[in-house]
Coordinates of all heavy atoms in Angstrom, one line a residue:
M243 N 119.1 -97.6 13.8 CA 120.1 -96.8 14.5 C 120.6 -95.8 13.4 O 120.7 -96.2 12.2 CB 121.2 -97.6 15.1 CG 122.4 -96.9 15.5 SD 123.8 -97.2 14.4 CE 123.9 -98.9 14.3
L244 N 120.8 -94.6 13.8 CA 121.4 -93.6 12.9 C 122.3 -92.6 13.7 O 122.1 -92.5 14.9 CB 120.3 -92.9 12.1 CG 119.3 -92.1 12.9 CD1 119.5 -90.6 12.6 CD2 117.9 -92.5 12.5
E245 N 123.1 -91.9 13.0 CA 123.9 -90.9 13.6 C 123.3 -89.6 13.4 O 123.0 -89.2 12.3 CB 125.4 -91.0 13.0 CG 126.3 -90.1 13.8 CD 127.7 -90.2 13.2 OE1 127.9 -90.8 12.2 OE2 128.6 -89.6 13.9
V246 N 123.2 -88.8 14.5 CA 122.6 -87.5 14.5 C 123.5 -86.6 15.3 O 123.7 -86.8 16.5 CB 121.2 -87.4 15.1 CG1 120.6 -86.0 15.1 CG2 120.2 -88.4 14.4
Q247 N 124.1 -85.6 14.7 CA 125.0 -84.7 15.3 C 126.0 -85.4 16.3 O 126.2 -85.1 17.4 CB 124.2 -83.6 16.1 CG 123.4 -82.8 15.2 CD 122.6 -81.8 16.0 OE1 122.7 -81.6 17.2 NE2 121.8 -81.0 15.2
N248 N 126.7 -86.4 15.7 CA 127.7 -87.2 16.4 C 127.2 -88.0 17.6 O 128.0 -88.4 18.5 CB 128.9 -86.2 16.9 CG 129.6 -85.6 15.8 OD1 129.8 -86.2 14.7 ND2 129.9 -84.3 15.9
H249 N 125.9 -88.3 17.6 CA 125.3 -89.2 18.6 C 124.7 -90.4 17.8 O 124.0 -90.2 16.8 CB 124.2 -88.5 19.3 CG 124.6 -87.4 20.2 ND1 124.9 -87.6 21.6 CD2 124.8 -86.1 20.0 CE1 125.3 -86.5 22.1 NE2 125.2 -85.6 21.2
W250 N 125.0 -91.6 18.3 CA 124.4 -92.8 17.7 C 123.0 -92.9 18.5 O 123.0 -92.9 19.7 CB 125.2 -94.0 18.0 CG 126.4 -94.0 17.1 CD1 127.7 -93.8 17.4 CD2 126.4 -94.2 15.7 NE1 128.5 -93.8 16.3 CE2 127.8 -94.1 15.2 CE3 125.4 -94.5 14.7 CZ2 128.1 -94.2 13.9 CZ3 125.8 -94.6 13.4 CH2 127.2 -94.5 13.0
V251 N 122.0 -92.9 17.7 CA 120.6 -92.9 18.2 C 119.8 -94.1 17.8 O 119.9 -94.5 16.6 CB 119.9 -91.6 17.7 CG1 118.5 -91.6 18.3 CG2 120.6 -90.3 18.1
A252 N 119.2 -94.8 18.8 CA 118.3 -95.9 18.5 C 116.9 -95.4 18.5 O 116.5 -94.7 19.4 CB 118.5 -97.0 19.6
I253 N 116.2 -95.7 17.4 CA 114.8 -95.2 17.2 C 113.9 -96.4 17.3 O 114.1 -97.4 16.6 CB 114.7 -94.4 15.9 CG1 115.6 -93.2 15.9 CG2 113.2 -94.0 15.7 CD1 115.8 -92.6 14.6
F254 N 112.8 -96.2 18.0 CA 111.8 -97.3 18.1 C 110.4 -96.8 17.7 O 110.1 -95.7 18.1 CB 111.8 -97.8 19.6 CG 113.1 -98.3 20.1 CD1 114.0 -97.4 20.7 CD2 113.6 -99.6 19.9 CE1 115.2 -97.7 21.2 CE2 114.8 -99.9 20.3 CZ 115.6 -99.1 20.9
N255 N 109.7 -97.6 17.0 CA 108.3 -97.2 16.6 C 107.4 -98.2 17.4 O 107.4 -99.4 17.1 CB 108.1 -97.4 15.1 CG 106.7 -97.1 14.7 OD1 105.8 -97.1 15.5 ND2 106.5 -96.8 13.4
I256 N 106.7 -97.7 18.3 CA 105.8 -98.5 19.1 C 104.4 -97.9 19.0 O 104.2 -96.8 19.4 CB 106.2 -98.5 20.6 CG1 107.7 -99.1 20.7 CG2 105.3 -99.4 21.4 CD1 108.2 -99.1 22.1
S257 N 103.5 -98.7 18.4 CA 102.1 -98.2 18.1 C 102.1 -96.8 17.5 O 101.4 -96.0 17.9 CB 101.4 -98.2 19.5 OG 101.4 -99.5 20.0
D258 N 102.9 -96.7 16.5 CA 103.0 -95.4 15.7 C 103.5 -94.2 16.5 O 103.3 -93.1 16.1 CB 101.7 -95.1 15.0 CG 101.4 -96.0 13.9 OD1 102.4 -96.6 13.3 OD2 100.2 -96.3 13.6
N259 N 104.1 -94.5 17.6 CA 104.8 -93.4 18.4 C 106.3 -93.7 18.3 O 106.8 -94.8 18.4 CB 104.4 -93.4 19.8 CG 103.0 -93.0 20.0 OD1 102.6 -91.9 19.5 ND2 102.2 -93.8 20.6
Y260 N 107.1 -92.6 18.0 CA 108.5 -92.8 17.9 C 109.3 -92.4 19.2 O 108.9 -91.4 19.8 CB 109.1 -91.9 16.8 CG 108.6 -92.5 15.4 CD1 107.5 -92.0 14.8 CD2 109.4 -93.5 14.8 CE1 107.1 -92.4 13.6 CE2 109.0 -94.0 13.5 CZ 107.8 -93.4 12.9 OH 107.4 -93.9 11.7
Y261 N 110.2 -93.2 19.6 CA 111.0 -93.0 20.7 C 112.5 -93.1 20.3 O 112.9 -93.9 19.5 CB 110.7 -94.0 21.9 CG 109.3 -93.9 22.2 CD1 108.4 -94.9 21.7 CD2 108.7 -92.9 23.0 CE1 107.0 -94.9 22.0 CE2 107.4 -92.9 23.3 CZ 106.5 -93.9 22.8 OH 105.2 -93.8 23.1
A262 N 113.3 -92.2 20.9 CA 114.8 -92.2 20.6 C 115.6 -92.2 21.9 O 115.3 -91.3 22.8 CB 115.1 -91.0 19.7
I263 N 116.6 -93.1 21.9 CA 117.5 -93.1 23.0 C 118.9 -93.2 22.5 O 119.1 -93.7 21.3 CB 117.3 -94.2 24.1 CG1 117.4 -95.6 23.5 CG2 115.9 -94.0 24.8 CD1 117.2 -96.7 24.5
E264 N 119.9 -92.9 23.2 CA 121.3 -93.1 22.8 C 121.5 -94.5 22.6 O 121.1 -95.4 23.4 CB 122.2 -92.5 23.9 CG 123.7 -92.5 23.5 CD 124.0 -91.1 22.9 OE1 123.2 -90.2 22.9 OE2 125.2 -91.0 22.4
D265 N 122.1 -94.8 21.4 CA 122.4 -96.2 21.1 C 123.7 -96.8 21.7 O 124.4 -97.5 21.0 CB 122.4 -96.4 19.6 CG 122.4 -97.9 19.1 OD1 121.9 -98.7 19.9 OD2 122.9 -98.2 18.1
V266 N 123.9 -96.4 22.9 CA 125.1 -96.8 23.6 C 124.8 -97.2 25.0 O 124.3 -96.4 25.8 CB 126.2 -95.7 23.6 CG1 127.4 -96.1 24.3 CG2 126.5 -95.2 22.2
C267 N 124.9 -98.5 25.3 CA 124.5 -98.9 26.7 C 125.4 -98.3 27.7 O 126.6 -98.2 27.5 CB 124.7 -100.5 26.7 SG 124.3 -101.1 28.3
T268 N 124.8 -97.8 28.8 CA 125.6 -97.1 29.8 C 126.4 -98.1 30.7 O 127.2 -97.7 31.5 CB 124.6 -96.3 30.8 OG1 123.7 -97.2 31.4 CG2 123.9 -95.2 30.0
H269 N 126.3 -99.4 30.5 CA 127.1 -100.4 31.2 C 128.5 -100.4 30.6 O 129.5 -100.1 31.2 CB 126.5 -101.8 31.3 CG 127.4 -102.8 31.8 ND1 127.8 -103.9 31.1 CD2 128.1 -102.8 33.0 CE1 128.6 -104.6 31.9 NE2 128.8 -104.0 33.0
D270 N 128.5 -100.8 29.3 CA 129.8 -101.0 28.6 C 129.8 -100.7 27.1 O 130.5 -101.3 26.3 CB 130.3 -102.4 28.9 CG 131.8 -102.5 28.6 OD1 132.6 -101.5 28.6 OD2 132.2 -103.7 28.2
G271 N 128.8 -99.9 26.7 CA 128.8 -99.4 25.3 C 128.1 -100.3 24.3 O 128.3 -100.1 23.1
G272 N 127.4 -101.3 24.8 CA 126.7 -102.2 23.8 C 125.7 -101.4 22.9 O 125.2 -100.4 23.3
P273 N 125.4 -101.9 21.7 CA 124.5 -101.3 20.8 C 123.1 -101.6 21.1 O 122.6 -102.7 20.8 CB 125.0 -101.9 19.4 CG 125.4 -103.2 19.8 CD 126.1 -103.1 21.2
L274 N 122.4 -100.7 21.8 CA 121.0 -101.0 22.2 C 120.0 -101.3 21.1 O 119.1 -102.2 21.3 CB 120.5 -99.9 23.1 CG 121.2 -99.6 24.4 CD1 120.7 -98.4 25.1 CD2 121.2 -100.9 25.3
A275 N 120.2 -100.7 19.9 CA 119.3 -101.0 18.8 C 119.4 -102.4 18.3 O 118.5 -102.9 17.7 CB 119.6 -100.0 17.7
D276 N 120.4 -103.1 18.7 CA 120.6 -104.5 18.3 C 119.9 -105.5 19.3 O 119.9 -106.7 19.1 CB 122.0 -104.9 18.1 CG 122.7 -104.2 16.9 OD1 121.9 -103.7 16.1 OD2 123.9 -104.3 16.8
G277 N 119.4 -104.9 20.4 CA 118.8 -105.7 21.4 C 117.4 -106.1 21.1 O 116.8 -105.8 20.1
E278 N 116.8 -106.9 22.0 CA 115.5 -107.4 21.8 C 114.5 -106.5 22.5 O 114.7 -106.2 23.7 CB 115.4 -108.9 22.3 CG 114.1 -109.5 22.0 CD 114.2 -111.0 21.9 OE1 115.2 -111.5 21.4 OE2 113.2 -111.6 22.3
L279 N 113.5 -106.1 21.8 CA 112.4 -105.2 22.4 C 111.3 -106.0 22.9 O 110.8 -106.9 22.2 CB 112.0 -104.3 21.2 CG 111.0 -103.1 21.7 CD1 111.7 -102.1 22.6 CD2 110.5 -102.4 20.4
D280 N 110.9 -105.7 24.1 CA 109.7 -106.4 24.7 C 108.8 -105.3 25.3 O 109.1 -104.7 26.3 CB 110.2 -107.3 25.8 CG 109.1 -108.1 26.5 OD1 107.9 -108.0 26.0 OD2 109.3 -108.7 27.6
G281 N 107.8 -105.0 24.6 CA 106.9 -103.8 25.0 C 107.7 -102.6 24.8 O 108.1 -102.2 23.7
V282 N 108.0 -101.8 25.9 CA 108.8 -100.6 25.8 C 110.2 -100.8 26.4 O 110.9 -99.9 26.6 CB 108.1 -99.4 26.5 CG1 106.8 -99.1 25.9 CG2 108.0 -99.7 28.0
E283 N 110.5 -102.1 26.6 CA 111.8 -102.4 27.2 C 112.8 -103.0 26.2 O 112.4 -104.0 25.5 CB 111.7 -103.4 28.4 CG 110.9 -102.8 29.6 CD 110.9 -103.8 30.7 OE1 111.7 -104.8 30.8 OE2 110.0 -103.6 31.6
I284 N 114.0 -102.5 26.1 CA 115.0 -103.0 25.2 C 116.1 -103.6 26.1 O 116.5 -103.1 27.1 CB 115.6 -101.9 24.3 CG1 116.5 -102.5 23.3 CG2 116.3 -100.8 25.1 CD1 115.8 -103.1 22.1
A285 N 116.5 -104.8 25.7 CA 117.6 -105.5 26.4 C 118.9 -105.4 25.7 O 118.9 -105.7 24.5 CB 117.2 -107.0 26.6
C286 N 119.9 -104.9 26.3 CA 121.2 -104.8 25.7 C 121.7 -106.2 25.2 O 121.6 -107.1 26.0 CB 122.2 -104.2 26.6 SG 123.9 -104.1 25.9
P287 N 122.1 -106.3 24.0 CA 122.6 -107.6 23.5 C 123.9 -108.1 24.1 O 124.2 -109.3 24.0 CB 122.7 -107.4 22.0 CG 123.0 -105.9 21.9 CD 122.3 -105.3 23.0
R288 N 124.6 -107.3 24.8 CA 125.9 -107.7 25.3 C 125.7 -108.4 26.7 O 126.2 -109.5 26.9 CB 126.9 -106.5 25.4 CG 127.3 -106.1 24.0 CD 128.4 -105.1 24.0 NE 129.6 -105.6 24.6 CZ 130.6 -104.8 25.0 NH1 130.5 -103.5 24.8 NH2 131.6 -105.3 25.5
H289 N 125.1 -107.8 27.7 CA 125.0 -108.4 29.0 C 123.6 -108.3 29.6 O 123.4 -108.7 30.7 CB 126.0 -107.7 30.0 CG 127.4 -107.6 29.5 ND1 127.9 -106.4 29.1 CD2 128.3 -108.5 29.2 CE1 129.2 -106.5 28.7 NE2 129.4 -107.8 28.7
G290 N 122.7 -107.8 28.8 CA 121.3 -108.0 29.2 C 120.6 -106.8 30.0 O 119.5 -107.0 30.4
A291 N 121.4 -105.7 30.2 CA 120.7 -104.6 30.9 C 119.5 -104.2 30.1 O 119.5 -104.2 28.9 CB 121.7 -103.5 31.1
R292 N 118.5 -103.8 30.8 CA 117.3 -103.3 30.2 C 117.0 -101.8 30.4 O 117.4 -101.3 31.5 CB 116.1 -104.2 30.7 CG 116.2 -105.6 30.4 CD 115.0 -106.4 31.0 NE 115.0 -106.4 32.5 CZ 114.1 -105.7 33.2 NH1 113.1 -105.1 32.6 NH2 114.2 -105.6 34.5
F293 N 116.4 -101.2 29.4 CA 116.1 -99.8 29.4 C 114.7 -99.6 28.9 O 114.2 -100.3 28.0 CB 117.1 -99.0 28.5 CG 118.5 -99.1 29.0 CD1 119.3 -100.2 28.6 CD2 119.1 -98.1 29.8 CE1 120.7 -100.2 29.0 CE2 120.4 -98.2 30.2 CZ 121.2 -99.3 29.8
D294 N 114.1 -98.5 29.5 CA 112.8 -98.1 29.0 C 113.0 -97.2 27.8 O 113.7 -96.1 27.9 CB 112.0 -97.3 30.1 CG 110.6 -96.9 29.7 OD1 110.4 -96.6 28.5 OD2 109.7 -96.9 30.5
V295 N 112.6 -97.6 26.6 CA 112.9 -96.8 25.4 C 112.1 -95.4 25.4 O 112.5 -94.5 24.6 CB 112.6 -97.6 24.1 CG1 113.4 -98.8 24.0 CG2 111.1 -97.8 23.9
K296 N 111.1 -95.3 26.2 CA 110.3 -94.0 26.3 C 111.1 -93.0 27.0 O 111.0 -91.8 26.8 CB 109.0 -94.2 26.9 CG 108.0 -94.9 26.1 CD 106.6 -95.0 26.8 CE 105.5 -95.5 25.9 NZ 104.2 -95.5 26.6
T297 N 111.9 -93.4 28.0 CA 112.6 -92.5 28.9 C 114.1 -92.7 29.0 O 114.8 -91.8 29.5 CB 112.0 -92.6 30.4 OG1 112.3 -94.0 30.8 CG2 110.5 -92.4 30.4
G298 N 114.6 -93.8 28.6 CA 116.0 -94.1 28.7 C 116.3 -94.7 30.1 O 117.5 -95.0 30.4
K299 N 115.3 -94.7 31.0 CA 115.6 -95.2 32.4 C 116.1 -96.7 32.3 O 115.6 -97.5 31.7 CB 114.3 -95.1 33.2 CG 114.5 -95.5 34.6 CD 113.3 -95.2 35.5 CE 113.4 -95.6 36.9 NZ 114.7 -95.3 37.5
H300 N 117.2 -96.9 33.1 CA 117.7 -98.3 33.2 C 116.8 -99.0 34.1 O 116.3 -98.5 35.2 CB 119.1 -98.3 33.7 CG 119.3 -98.1 35.1 ND1 119.3 -96.8 35.7 CD2 119.5 -99.0 36.1 CE1 119.5 -97.0 37.0 NE2 119.7 -98.2 37.3
L301 N 116.5 -100.3 33.8 CA 115.5 -101.1 34.5 C 116.2 -102.3 35.1 O 115.5 -103.1 35.8 CB 114.4 -101.5 33.6 CG 113.6 -100.4 32.9 CD1 112.7 -100.9 31.9 CD2 112.9 -99.6 33.9
G302 N 117.4 -102.6 34.8 CA 118.1 -103.8 35.4 C 119.6 -103.7 35.2 O 120.1 -103.0 34.3
F303 N 120.2 -104.4 36.1 CA 121.7 -104.5 36.1 C 122.1 -105.3 34.9 O 121.3 -106.1 34.3 CB 122.2 -105.2 37.4 CG 122.0 -104.3 38.6 CD1 121.0 -104.6 39.5 CD2 122.8 -103.2 38.8 CE1 120.8 -103.8 40.6 CE2 122.6 -102.4 39.9 CZ 121.6 -102.7 40.8
P304 N 123.4 -105.1 34.4 CA 124.4 -104.5 35.1 C 124.5 -102.9 34.8 O 125.4 -102.3 35.4 CB 125.7 -105.1 34.5 CG 125.3 -105.6 33.2 CD 123.8 -105.9 33.3
A305 N 123.6 -102.4 34.1 CA 123.6 -100.9 33.9 C 123.2 -100.3 35.2 O 122.2 -100.8 35.9 CB 122.8 -100.5 32.7
T306 N 123.8 -99.2 35.6 CA 123.4 -98.4 36.8 C 123.0 -97.0 36.4 O 122.7 -96.2 37.3 CB 124.5 -98.4 37.8 OG1 125.7 -97.9 37.3 CG2 124.7 -99.9 38.3
K307 N 123.1 -96.6 35.1 CA 122.8 -95.3 34.7 C 121.8 -95.3 33.6 O 121.8 -96.2 32.8 CB 124.0 -94.5 34.2 CG 125.1 -94.3 35.3 CD 126.3 -93.6 34.7 CE 127.4 -93.4 35.7 NZ 128.6 -92.9 35.1
D308 N 121.0 -94.2 33.5 CA 120.0 -94.1 32.5 C 120.7 -93.8 31.1 O 121.8 -93.2 31.1 CB 119.0 -93.0 32.8 CG 118.2 -93.3 34.0 OD1 118.2 -94.5 34.5 OD2 117.5 -92.4 34.5
A309 N 120.1 -94.2 30.0 CA 120.6 -93.8 28.7 C 119.9 -92.5 28.4 O 118.7 -92.2 28.6 CB 120.2 -94.8 27.7
P310 N 120.7 -91.5 27.7 CA 120.0 -90.3 27.3 C 118.9 -90.6 26.4 O 119.0 -91.5 25.5 CB 121.2 -89.6 26.6 CG 122.4 -90.2 27.1 CD 122.1 -91.6 27.4
H311 N 117.8 -89.9 26.5 CA 116.7 -90.0 25.6 C 116.4 -88.7 24.9 O 116.8 -87.6 25.5 CB 115.4 -90.6 26.2 CG 114.6 -89.6 27.0 ND1 114.9 -89.1 28.2 CD2 113.4 -89.0 26.6 CE1 114.0 -88.2 28.6 NE2 113.1 -88.2 27.6
Y312 N 115.8 -88.7 23.7 CA 115.6 -87.5 22.9 C 114.2 -87.4 22.5 O 113.5 -88.4 22.2 CB 116.5 -87.6 21.7 CG 118.0 -87.8 22.0 CD1 118.6 -89.0 21.7 CD2 118.7 -86.8 22.6 CE1 119.9 -89.3 22.0 CE2 120.0 -87.1 22.9 CZ 120.6 -88.3 22.6 OH 121.9 -88.5 22.9
L313 N 113.7 -86.2 22.5 CA 112.3 -86.0 22.1 C 112.2 -86.2 20.6 O 113.2 -85.8 19.9 CB 111.9 -84.6 22.5 CG 111.8 -84.3 24.0 CD1 111.4 -82.8 24.2 CD2 110.9 -85.2 24.7
T314 N 111.1 -86.7 20.2 CA 110.8 -86.9 18.7 C 109.5 -86.2 18.4 O 108.6 -86.1 19.2 CB 110.8 -88.3 18.3 OG1 109.7 -88.9 19.0 CG2 112.1 -89.1 18.7
R315 N 109.4 -85.9 17.1 CA 108.1 -85.5 16.5 C 108.1 -85.7 15.0 O 109.2 -85.8 14.4 CB 107.7 -84.1 16.9 CG 108.6 -83.0 16.1 CD 108.1 -81.6 16.4 NE 109.0 -80.7 15.7 CZ 108.9 -79.4 15.8 NH1 108.0 -78.8 16.6 NH2 109.6 -78.6 15.0
V316 N 106.9 -85.9 14.5 CA 106.8 -86.0 13.0 C 106.2 -84.8 12.5 O 105.1 -84.4 12.9 CB 106.0 -87.3 12.6 CG1 105.8 -87.3 11.1 CG2 106.6 -88.6 13.2
Q317 N 106.9 -84.1 11.6 CA 106.5 -82.9 10.9 C 106.5 -83.1 9.4 O 107.6 -83.4 8.9 CB 107.4 -81.7 11.2 CG 107.3 -81.2 12.7 CD 106.2 -80.3 12.9 OE1 105.1 -80.7 13.1 NE2 106.5 -79.0 12.8
N318 N 105.4 -83.0 8.8 CA 105.3 -83.2 7.3 C 105.9 -84.5 6.9 O 106.7 -84.5 5.9 CB 106.0 -82.0 6.6 CG 105.3 -80.7 6.9 OD1 104.1 -80.6 7.0 ND2 106.1 -79.6 7.1
N319 N 105.6 -85.6 7.6 CA 106.1 -86.9 7.3 C 107.6 -87.1 7.5 O 108.2 -88.0 6.9 CB 105.7 -87.4 5.9 CG 104.2 -87.6 5.8 OD1 103.6 -88.1 6.7 ND2 103.7 -87.2 4.6
V320 N 108.2 -86.2 8.2 CA 109.7 -86.3 8.5 C 109.8 -86.4 10.0 O 109.3 -85.6 10.8 CB 110.4 -85.0 8.0 CG1 111.9 -85.0 8.5 CG2 110.3 -84.9 6.5
L321 N 110.6 -87.4 10.4 CA 110.8 -87.6 11.9 C 111.9 -86.7 12.3 O 113.0 -86.7 11.7 CB 111.3 -89.1 12.1 CG 111.7 -89.4 13.5 CD1 110.5 -89.2 14.5 CD2 112.2 -90.8 13.6
E322 N 111.7 -85.9 13.3 CA 112.6 -85.0 13.9 C 113.0 -85.4 15.2 O 112.2 -85.9 16.0 CB 112.1 -83.5 13.9 CG 111.7 -83.0 12.6 CD 111.1 -81.6 12.6 OE1 110.6 -81.2 13.7 OE2 111.2 -80.9 11.6
I323 N 114.3 -85.3 15.5 CA 114.8 -85.7 16.8 C 115.6 -84.6 17.5 O 116.5 -84.0 16.8 CB 115.8 -86.9 16.7 CG1 115.1 -88.1 16.0 CG2 116.4 -87.4 18.0 CD1 116.0 -89.2 15.5
A324 N 115.2 -84.2 18.7 CA 115.9 -83.1 19.4 C 117.1 -83.6 20.1 O 117.0 -84.4 21.1 CB 114.9 -82.5 20.3
I325 N 118.3 -83.3 19.6 CA 119.5 -83.7 20.3 C 120.0 -82.6 21.2 O 120.1 -81.5 20.8 CB 120.6 -84.0 19.2 CG1 120.2 -85.2 18.3 CG2 122.0 -84.3 19.9 CD1 120.1 -86.5 19.0
Ligands
LIG481 S1 127.2 -103.4 27.6 FE1 125.0 -103.4 27.8 S2 124.7 -104.6 29.5 FE2 126.8 -104.6 29.3

């Protein structure tokens, strides 16, 4: 997790592809980067809501809203995140 332009961002490396979503669970603010990753699904460590790290889409209750996701790319060995 890192802070980019006043956003806490959770970054995931899955098969050498980088994905970035807001590191704030839409249910009650849990830190998604501290959750357990299963494939492309991250489970919030607070109450277990699941999100797709590729899209930020919520996949299970108690979250009812998607997490913002950000485009990423690697340029000259530097990871860039579009906020
Ligand atoms: S804060 Fe994430 S599921 Fe409740």
